Amino acid sequence: MPKHRPTIADIAARAGVSKVAVSYALNDRPGVSPATRSAIKAIAQEIGWRPNSAARALTRAKADAVGLALCRPARLLGVEPFFMELISGIESELSPRGCALLLQVVTDPAQELEVYRRWWGEGRVDGVFLTDLRGADPRIEGVAGLGLPAVAIGHPSASGPLPAVWSDDAAAVRDTFAYLAALGHRSVARVAGMPELNHTALRDRAQREVCAELGLGEPVVVHTGYSGDDGAHATRRLVSAPGRPTAIVYDNDIMAVAGLSVAQEMGLDVPDDLSLVAWDDSQLSRVVRPPLTALSRDIPAYGSLAARTLLSLVTDGGAAGCEDRTARLVPRGSTGAPRQPTPAQEMAPRQPTP
């Protein structure tokens, strides 16, 4: 794989033909056989060549833009504070440098990689961000193979050779569960994100470990797609079950706000009957009543750090990964000591992980 923007010369070398033959094939001109034409086009697709990439490589033109493709439903982006704050932090670094952010919503990681391949081949970006890292993430090898400068926003355990910008989610989970245990909670559930995401897996592992350390029994986790509807549905399942938890931790604030609404709808007092903790401390966490205890971090600063790392990678050809500050627990009115359980609650069996 070439470690630069793919050119006609790269295709010719791979195909074992002249650059003229490649030009004829890609422009559907006569002069090459159908088999050769097909092979050349397959190689061009594989290495991410696009029509104007050769001209850009020759002139060494910069795009003065970086890209971010988000594999999330477009309808969620307008209501999920995390990505809006992340993007605002990225823009705070790009704008003063005259660098644009190219943003596209995609449906799956394969489409995301194809978008990056197209942007790079067409010379539309100088580098990209990868978010929502997965185990054995094909995007890592894909962008590395293209020679496309990329920064992974996520833990280095899943970033491969790419520089990573991350915070310690495991430490935040341990702090949260230790705090709830200190308040007297012995039945704590978590409404989590998608299980295939690396940061969800890291949080799951930390929850198992801290539950074992604190004697909280088998961890109770409900995996969701991060939407408010998901948070509401998971909360109803948890609080309607025998031996319901006395505290719930949510992996984002949208689900936590939905969970608060469900608790109030079902006549539960927050925090006496049910304590709630939100991950990420947006305005949403502070305007509801009671205000939500939250894991607070400066997400715009997180985006700014990721942008500086990518700009350094593009400009200097290399950049070191950076660990951002761990999210800090901010207690508010949604957490407190649990009510004394009734005999029925004490005898009820713990619910297994859904």
Side-chain angles (χ1 to χ4, degrees):
M1 283 288 185
K3 299 301 180 182
H4 53 252
R5 283 200 175 94
T7 67
I8 285 179
D10 297 320
I11 301 171
R14 287 280 298 273
V17 299
S18 69
K19 289 189 287 183
V20 172
V22 172
S23 178
Y24 284 172
L26 295 176
N27 289 286
D28 290 319
R29 294 171 58 187
V32 294
S33 70
T36 300
R37 188 187 311 277
S38 177
I40 287 171
K41 288 188 173 182
I43 291 169
Q45 172 72 17
E46 180 184 344
I47 69 174
W49 181 87
R50 289 299 184 273
N52 70 344
S53 62
R56 283 193 173 272
L58 288 171
T59 61
R60 299 185 182 275
K62 287 184 63 179
D64 289 325
V66 295
L68 172 62
L70 292 175
C71 188
R72 293 288 182 91
R75 61 185 175 80
L76 291 184
L77 295 181
V79 296
E80 186 174 32
F82 174 83
F83 278 111
M84 294 300 99
E85 293 185 18
L86 182 75
I87 290 169
S88 75
I90 291 172
E91 286 282 17
S92 72
E93 293 293 329
L94 299 183
S95 294
R97 293 166 171 80
C99 186
L101 177 66
L102 206 57
L103 178 66
Q104 185 165 334
V105 174
V106 298
T107 57
D108 56 55
Q111 186 186 9
E112 181 178 344
L113 183 55
E114 178 54 32
V115 166
Y116 288 150
R117 191 189 302 275
R118 173 168 52 81
W119 283 350
W120 181 239
E122 293 174 353
R124 299 177 67 188
V125 297
D126 299 314
V128 297
F129 301 100
L130 298 185
T131 64
D132 286 342
L133 302 184
R134 293 160 169 79
D137 197 320
R139 298 173 301 166
I140 303 296
E141 182 179 351
V143 298
L146 290 170
L148 169 58
V151 166
I153 302 178
H155 196 270
S157 61
S159 68
L162 305 183
V165 174
W166 81 99
S167 63
D168 191 343
D169 282 1
V173 169
R174 288 191 291 270
D175 290 346
T176 302
F177 276 73
Y179 163 72
L180 292 170
L183 288 176
H185 294 277
R186 292 295 176 267
S187 177
V188 183
R190 181 168 140 260
V191 177
M194 294 171 278
E196 65 270 21
L197 299 183
N198 187 62
H199 69 262
T200 302
L202 291 174
R203 295 177 188 185
D204 289 353
R205 186 182 309 126
Q207 182 181 353
R208 289 193 299 270
E209 292 171 354
V210 74
C211 284
E213 292 167 8
L214 298 176
L216 299 180
E218 287 296 315
V220 177
V221 185
V222 181
H223 290 111
T224 72
Y226 281 120
S227 72
D229 287 344
D230 289 336
H233 179 66
T235 303
R236 287 192 185 93
R237 286 177 56 192
L238 289 167
V239 301
S240 299
R244 62 173 174 80
T246 60
I248 302 176
V249 179
Y250 296 85
D251 271 16
N252 74 0
D253 42 11
I254 292 292
M255 295 194 296
V257 170
L260 174 62
S261 296
V262 168
Q264 293 170 339
E265 162 198 313
M266 298 182 73
L268 296 174
D269 182 83
V270 176
D272 288 347
D273 296 321
L274 184 66
S275 286
L276 305 178
V277 178
W279 202 294
D280 296 330
D281 189 16
S282 72
Q283 288 292 330
L284 284 176
S285 301
R286 299 189 283 275
V287 298
V288 294
R289 290 293 177 268
L292 292 170
T293 293
L295 283 157
S296 181
R297 55 178 174 164
D298 190 339
I299 298 171
Y302 191 46
S304 177
L305 179 59
R308 289 198 302 274
T309 303
L310 182 56
L311 290 172
S312 177
L313 181 61
V314 168
T315 302
D316 304 329
C322 301
E323 182 177 2
D324 197 24
R325 294 179 180 177
T326 301
R328 176 175 57 92
L329 187 69
V330 179
R332 296 197 183 97
S334 69
T335 51
R339 280 193 212 272
Q340 191 67 26
T342 65
Q345 287 176 318
E346 289 180 333
M347 295 174 62
R350 289 295 307 274
Q351 297 301 300
T353 301

